[in-house]
Amino acid sequence: MTFEPESLDQSRSGLAEALRNERKRAGLTQTRLARLCNMSQTKISNIEGGKLTPTIVDVELILEAIGAGSPLAAEILALARTANTEWQDLWASRRRGIDKKQNDLAGLESVTTEFRFFLPTMITGLLATPDYVRASLARNPGDMSRTVARKIERQKVLTDPSKFFTFLLTEQAVRWPLASPILMAMQIDRLISVSRIPNVRLGVIPLGTVGPVNETPLSVFTVYDRRLVQVETHTGALILRDHRDVTAYRDDFERYESYALHGDECREHLTEWASRFRS
């Protein structure tokens, strides 16, 4: 899946122009529209000026207030959905510095309360040992020591009692031999330890499980509250903020979770898989 950043930028400017034009056509001032939508006039001004990308809910409120007809409302909502999509390609991240991406994630984690991680291919950084992190970054050029240190530092968020984490891992993700057998065994030991943190729910989906996982193409994704979803691909990450997209991924997550093993049953499988690496 590929996206042209220019088209996303155009959708944002097009959305701002459309909302501005329709507000004027309805004969409303920014102040009057702000009152009708229970927003500040500054927010309306920033939306119409392209300085602030409105959420889908913001756009729905504005369209209702200005009395936009169905065909027009559908067109503007389509613009809003595209404007609320962000594409972060791998090469741009490398040019910027992968350690900078860790700062972005830390900022997002600081304002999120509920996290849902679906991990069908490999173990995420919040659960990883330093050796596993280094192995996962081996193909990246340059010195990765700062990125490794930042990934490990971010793991402190797991002990914040005000936040709640659910991790779902397939057996393939847990057992994929990214590092040497002994390092993989130590990584699985780490998963067992994390599964005992009170505000962490960790589940595994063993191979051969009969359910929707066998029927649906799988992608790594993370749901942050009801705010956004990050879907990872081989060449980058897609950020979705449309509430319909977020709801769809939350529903998928709940379906996958119903087929996962948790608690002692999960730890029994993890212990067995770690033993296989040690032997």
Side-chain angles (χ1 to χ4, degrees), residues 3 53 94 156 168 179 199 212 255 264:
F3 293 85
T53 301
R94 285 177 175 174
K156 294 178 182 176
L168 296 182
N199 56 315
R255 191 164 67 253
D264 290 339

Side-chain angles (χ1 to χ4, degrees), residues 94 97-99 133-134 136-148:
R94 285 177 175 174
I98 297 180
D99 59 308
V133 172
R134 278 188 283 270
S136 70
L137 296 171
R139 294 180 61 185
N140 290 280
D143 182 8
M144 290 289 106
S145 57
R146 289 177 59 184
T147 302
V148 173

Side-chain angles (χ1 to χ4, degrees), residues 25-259:
R25 188 171 289 118
L28 297 175
T29 64
Q30 288 185 346
T31 302
R32 176 60 179 160
L33 178 60
R35 289 200 192 100
L36 291 173
C37 298
N38 196 27
M39 299 179 189
S40 68
Q41 186 272 330
T42 300
K43 181 174 181 177
I44 295 294
S45 177
N46 287 337
I47 289 173
E48 292 187 357
K51 297 178 182 179
L52 173 66
T53 301
T55 66
I56 307 297
V57 173
D58 288 338
V59 174
E60 288 173 340
L61 287 172
I62 291 172
L63 292 175
E64 182 178 353
I66 63 179
S70 296
L72 176 63
E75 183 179 337
I76 294 177
L77 281 170
L79 275 176
R81 190 176 192 192
T82 305
N84 276 275
T85 300
E86 179 184 348
W87 173 246
Q88 300 176 347
D89 71 79
L90 178 62
W91 298 277
S93 294
R94 285 177 175 174
R95 289 193 300 270
R96 181 176 173 236
I98 297 180
D99 59 308
K100 302 296 192 303
K101 172 70 172 179
Q102 300 306 307
N103 294 334
D104 294 342
L105 289 172
L108 182 55
E109 288 160 0
S110 69
V111 298
T112 301
T113 300
E114 272 191 340
F115 302 77
R116 292 169 172 81
F117 291 81
F118 183 63
L119 307 166
T121 57
M122 64 184 298
I123 297 166
T124 189
L126 288 182
L127 301 175
T129 63
D131 289 312
Y132 189 94
V133 172
R134 278 188 283 270
S136 70
L137 296 171
R139 294 180 61 185
N140 290 280
D143 182 8
M144 290 289 106
S145 57
R146 289 177 59 184
T147 302
V148 173
R150 194 70 182 96
K151 278 179 173 281
I152 299 305
E153 182 182 356
R154 280 177 47 223
Q155 294 178 358
K156 294 178 182 176
V157 73
L158 293 175
T159 60
D160 184 340
S162 68
K163 300 181 183 297
F164 303 90
F165 301 83
T166 304
F167 298 94
L168 296 182
L169 301 96
T170 63
E171 180 177 344
Q172 176 182 342
V174 176
R175 297 182 61 186
W176 187 260
L178 196 64
S180 68
I182 186 60
L183 294 181
M184 288 302 301
M186 293 170 64
Q187 172 58 70
I188 296 176
D189 290 343
R190 158 80 178 162
L191 296 179
I192 295 172
S193 297
V194 172
S195 74
R196 300 184 185 279
I197 299 176
N199 56 315
V200 173
R201 178 173 168 82
L202 191 146
V204 295
I205 304 174
L207 288 172
T209 300
V210 178
V213 175
N214 297 57
E215 306 165 6
T216 309
L218 303 181
S219 296
V220 173
F221 66 83
T222 307
V223 184
Y224 298 86
D225 290 328
R226 294 186 178 273
R227 180 180 294 110
L228 63 86
V229 178
Q230 177 171 285
V231 184
E232 298 181 30
T233 75
H234 184 61
T235 57
L238 184 63
I239 312 299
L240 304 171
R241 296 182 176 84
D242 186 328
H243 65 87
R244 293 171 296 182
D245 293 324
V246 175
T247 299
Y249 274 94
R250 285 173 64 101
D251 290 345
D252 283 347
F253 190 91
E254 289 182 8
R255 191 164 67 253
Y256 297 146
E257 187 176 13
S258 69
Y259 286 85

